[in-house]
Amino acid sequence: METTSTVAGEPGPAAPEETGDERAVDGFLTASFPWYGLDEAFSGPRWLMQVGTTADGTVEHGSTGHGEVPSLKVEANPDNQRFAVTVTVASRPVRRSADGTGVLEATSVSTAAWLAGSGLLSCTWPQEMERGLRQDWLDQQTSVAWELADDLGGAGWSTLTLPVDGVPTDFHYRESEYGWVLAGAAQEGVHIGAYGRGMSAYGLGFAVVKDITSYQQ
């Protein structure tokens, strides 16, 4: 899988609490590939997370949110939260890093699956857990998500067919106590990952976002 860093300098999807920044759209506007979100059948709130970039600032992936913005605050009950996040990952071949000192792996559906899996974990960890143990738990579960993403043909995944730009598309799909994750390929040179909780993945559809600025809160 590809190694990238986010605008905030941390690996993986942005934390949900950071979605209110009006400048978040800037990174989305500089991408060379189309962004995906839920199609027009979804009529609820839409919001932006952050983009992931390589060392030279090239946008490689990003996430768009739908429904309620997930919260890690103590008073928020994760079981009552309803959201679905779409992760768009640019399809890239193996290539040299910007500084010429290394090689970036090719992106794949597995990349989208891992970003979706780690994104779900980042906003659904057990709130009854002591703060000092949360990072250890997150590291452990993220490692599991990585292993699952590298084995999309394994028993941990099933197949779910959903429309992408109106075309029935097969996704790798799995559920856990924290929510659901899926990943597949689109027709526009990107891979799609998604995760959610409280909103069923069955019946969802994905489409190119015509105006990414419409996702600003």
Side-chain angles (χ1 to χ4, degrees):
M1 295 181 207
E2 179 193 18
T3 301
T4 63
S5 60
T6 68
V7 172
E10 297 177 353
E17 308 301 331
E18 300 175 11
T19 58
D21 189 347
E22 294 181 356
R23 295 171 299 177
V25 73
D26 293 347
F28 288 86
L29 292 172
T30 61
S32 62
F33 54 90
W35 296 105
Y36 273 81
L38 297 187
D39 61 20
E40 293 180 354
F42 176 78
S43 59
R46 297 171 183 256
W47 33 273
L48 294 177
M49 297 180 78
Q50 286 185 320
V51 298
T53 66
T54 54
D56 64 352
T58 301
V59 177
E60 298 289 275
H61 63 81
S63 302
T64 55
H66 311 80
E68 302 171 2
V69 178
S71 175
L72 295 178
K73 295 178 180 178
V74 175
E75 63 271 18
N77 185 345
D79 293 332
N80 295 332
Q81 296 181 16
R82 300 180 68 257
F83 64 89
V85 173
T86 302
V87 182
T88 307
V89 184
S91 180
R92 307 288 197 201
V94 175
R95 66 247 187 245
R96 300 292 297 180
S97 60
D99 59 9
T101 61
V103 175
L104 297 177
E105 296 181 16
T107 60
S108 65
V109 174
S110 289
T111 310
W114 179 75
L115 287 170
S118 59
L120 177 64
L121 291 170
S122 72
C123 59
T124 57
W125 60 27
Q127 292 185 310
E128 68 275 8
M129 183 179 295
E130 292 182 11
R131 184 177 299 274
L133 298 177
R134 286 182 177 178
Q135 189 59 53
D136 288 340
W137 177 89
L138 187 59
D139 290 344
Q140 179 187 53
Q141 294 300 314
T142 300
S143 177
V144 172
W146 183 280
E147 293 173 2
L148 284 167
D150 268 344
D151 187 23
L152 292 178
W157 299 89
S158 60
T159 300
L160 179 61
T161 302
L162 299 172
V164 177
D165 294 323
V167 179
T169 302
D170 288 341
F171 286 88
H172 300 278
Y173 175 78
R174 68 180 177 89
E175 295 180 357
S176 72
E177 61 183 299
Y178 308 111
W180 53 264
V181 171
L182 59 79
Q187 303 298 316
E188 300 290 338
V190 301
H191 307 293
I192 295 176
Y195 61 92
R197 183 170 181 144
M199 290 175 57
S200 174
Y202 293 84
L204 295 182
F206 302 96
V208 170
V209 177
K210 296 178 181 179
D211 179 11
I212 194 65
T213 62
S214 66
Y215 273 74
Q216 288 183 280
Q217 290 184 310

